[in-house]
């Protein structure tokens, strides 16, 4: 058997032995040896997609939900460049991902050969590890070397993307009827563990907390954030947790509802913390970030992945260790009165917002509340960038323990969101998945919708169709009406009924508040994947948000 084929079978077998379960594959010739090995491997599920960009984002979704890297495979040339956006998202969100690009051999590089580009370090600093082993050759111990390559790729990808560039010489496929087999022993063991807090790290935080009267926890997007809930419950501090932190739930203890309203109302100015513990990514809420920047309380940034998520350079202590081990080791502190002040103010603000939503035209806030009220106890939501992620932060009440929230907050693109959401749905297919996306975002990754029917994915796509980029209506460019619609809002004027039909989804349009909850409920319960399209005006969103903040402020004053 040709060495290329044996290499491919062995390399793929070791990927599987290291726990890689999914391979997102796009068609091509140069990638044939690996594609065939993946398709034939009994433990690897192949997800085929034509669009490499969608394919790579799908793999990112799989990585986010499973915590294990999915492999993405493509052929040489522009195909490899299509993966770049997803690599960037994986890099900045510390998402496991293994990108495998097939390549021309050295003699076909830089000589004008067809479909050959420079793929060396194509993704620059966005990858945790790049390696090009060269064209496979027969040397002693080759199977061990090939297996090591796969094992190391998986290990290096544990907290971000890895790029393996594989040049192949022809013939790229074996003669018909011949199937290569893997060589060598599978399963080299590569283990790593979470960094435990040092005694000094613990002592510094514990003594600061002992002095603190008004400690506050701020939790941004985090994988597995829910495992911190018991420790936070025991500590009993107020927690400002965005949905993607997995900590906005009663089980966290001090989770504060509608905290954004407290900040916007200025209530927080008289209730400032004297110490902040930051967990996870930089918060989404602009109001929260600017309040923290202005108040600048002594801040402990818990940063296990060395991401330095501290845009305002506030952290006095950057603590690189496992947050769970750190929080669990802290002595209990009783700050219940302070916690309850925040929690009850949040409840008051939340109730005022609910009352306001009853009488205002539909906007994202209504969609979020309807989704929260109809979402099954066990479910996951993939929340798109732009207004959906902000609206979820502003309007999602406390969630149930078995509900999980994901987004592409690494680089906050509006690209690849359909596919990342469908990757999340596929990686944990036993629970209902809802994608909450803006209309431009759906358009940007319409190709990604194809996977739903091709791969039998069960998901509900809820589209906030405000005919354009509604987020811009909240920004200063909205004050320039002569250019605003053309170059910022960019209304598409697309008929989503036709998009749903093209990709085989049930189309469920909503225009009235009263239709929202039933439509979402039906969609989640239906066996057929459904696109719920909620139409509303961008202006109604701006005024509707303002009314909510005003009502909350009034309630807090009373
Ligand atoms: C790939 C990419 N291109 C452009 C942007 C800039 N951008 C941010 S929000 C947005 C509009 C998104 O519109 P839509 O998905 O309809 O969401 P809405 O703002 O209406 O909620 C754009 C173009 C981006 N974040 N990512
Ligand atoms: Mg929109």
């Amino acid at each position: 058997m040709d060495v290329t084929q044996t290499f491919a079978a062995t390399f793929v077998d070791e990927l599987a032995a290291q726990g890689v379960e999914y391979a997102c594959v796009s068609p091509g010739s140069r990638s044939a040896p690996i594609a065939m090995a993946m398709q034939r491997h009994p433990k690897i599920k192949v997800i085929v997609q034509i669009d490499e960009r969608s394919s790579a984002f799908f793999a990112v979704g799989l990585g986010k939900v499973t915590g294990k890297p999915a492999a993405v495979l493509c052929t040489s040339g522009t195909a490899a460049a299509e993966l770049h956006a997803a690599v960037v998202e994986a890099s900045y969100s510390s998402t496991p991902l293994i990108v495998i690009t097939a390549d021309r051999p050295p003699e076909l590089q830089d000589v004008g050969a067809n479909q050959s580009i420079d793929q060396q370090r194509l993704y620059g600093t966005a990858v945790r590890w790049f390696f090009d082993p060269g064209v496979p050759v027969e040397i002693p111990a080759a199977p061990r070397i090939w297996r090591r390559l796969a094992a190391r790729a998986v290990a290096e990808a544990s907290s971000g993307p890895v790029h393996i560039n594989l040049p192949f010489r022809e013939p790229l496929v074996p003669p018909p009827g011949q199937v290569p087999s893997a060589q060598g022993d599978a399963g080299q063991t590569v283990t790593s563990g979470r960094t435990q807090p040092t005694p000094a790290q613990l002592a510094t935080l514990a003594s600061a907390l002992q002095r603190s009267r008004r400690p506050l926890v701020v939790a941004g997007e985090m994988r597995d954030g829910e495992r911190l809930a018991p420790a936070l419950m025991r500590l009993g501090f107020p927690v400002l947790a965005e949905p993607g932190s997995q900590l906005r739930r009663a089980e966290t203890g001090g989770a504060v509802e509608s905290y954004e309203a407290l900040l916007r109302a200025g209530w927080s100015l008289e209730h400032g913390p004297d110490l902040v513990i930051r967990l996870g990514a930089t918060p989404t809420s602009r109001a929260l970030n600017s309040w923290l920047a202005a108040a600048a309380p002594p801040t402990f940034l818990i940063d296990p992945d060395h991401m330095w998520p501290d845009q305002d350079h506030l952290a006095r202590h950057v603590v690189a260790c496992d947050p769970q081990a750190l929080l669990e080791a802290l002595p209990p502190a009783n700050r219940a009165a302070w916690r309850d002040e925040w929690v009850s103010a949040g409840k008051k603000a939340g109730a005022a917002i609910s009352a306001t939503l009853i009488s205002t035209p539909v906007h994202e806030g209504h969609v979020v509340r309807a989704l929260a009220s109809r979402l099954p106890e066990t479910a996951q939501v993939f929340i798109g960038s732009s207004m959906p992620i902000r609206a979820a932060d502003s309007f999602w009440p406390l969630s149930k323990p078995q509900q999980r929230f994901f987004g592409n907050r690494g680089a906050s693109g509006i690209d690849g969101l359909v596919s990342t959401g469908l990757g999340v749905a596929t990686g944990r297919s036993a629970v209902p998945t809802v994608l909450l996306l803006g209309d431009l975002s759906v358009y940007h990754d319409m190709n990604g919708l194809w996977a739903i029917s091709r791969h039998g994915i069960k998901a509900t796509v809820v589209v906030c169709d405000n005919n354009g980029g509604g987020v811009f209506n909240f920004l200063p460019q909205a004050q320039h009406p002569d250019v605003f619609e053309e170059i910022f809002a960019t209304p598409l004027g697309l008929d989503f009924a036709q998009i749903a039909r093209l990709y085989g989804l049930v189309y469920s349009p909503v225009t009235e508040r009263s239709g929202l909850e039933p439509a979402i409920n039906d969609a989640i319960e239906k066996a057929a994947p459904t696109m719920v399209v909620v139409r509303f005006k961008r202006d109604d969103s701006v005024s509707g948000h303002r009314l909510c903040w005003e009502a909350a402020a009034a309630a807090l004053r009373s």
Side-chain angles (χ1 to χ4, degrees), residues 12 23 25 34-42 44-48:
V12 168
V25 174
I34 302 287
M36 289 166 82
M38 286 171 159
Q39 178 69 14
R40 286 178 172 150
H41 199 284
I44 290 196
K45 300 181 191 102
V46 169
I47 306 279
V48 167

Side-chain angles (χ1 to χ4, degrees), residues 228-301:
L228 307 182
L232 289 171
M233 170 70 110
R234 193 178 52 87
L235 286 169
F237 307 151
V239 182
L240 310 190
E242 67 179 80
S245 70
Q246 323 302 346
L247 288 167
R248 186 184 287 190
R249 53 185 68 193
E251 293 68 24
T252 302
V256 179
E257 273 181 60
S258 304
Y259 58 78
E260 204 178 3
L262 307 185
L263 308 177
R264 289 178 182 272
W267 180 90
S268 55
L269 294 176
E270 288 146 31
H271 299 81
D274 61 5
L275 185 154
V276 165
I277 299 177
R278 280 251 341 262
L279 301 165
T282 304
T284 298
S285 163
R286 195 185 275 243
L288 175 52
N289 284 320
S290 35
W291 174 63
L292 288 175
T299 299
F300 284 76
L301 176 71

Side-chain angles (χ1 to χ4, degrees), residues 364 386-388 412-415 438-441 444 466 468-472:
E364 297 88 348
S386 202
M387 286 307 286
S412 299
I414 60 156
D415 48 349
D439 55 320
L440 298 194
S441 303
H444 209 303
N466 51 9
V471 74
F472 297 120

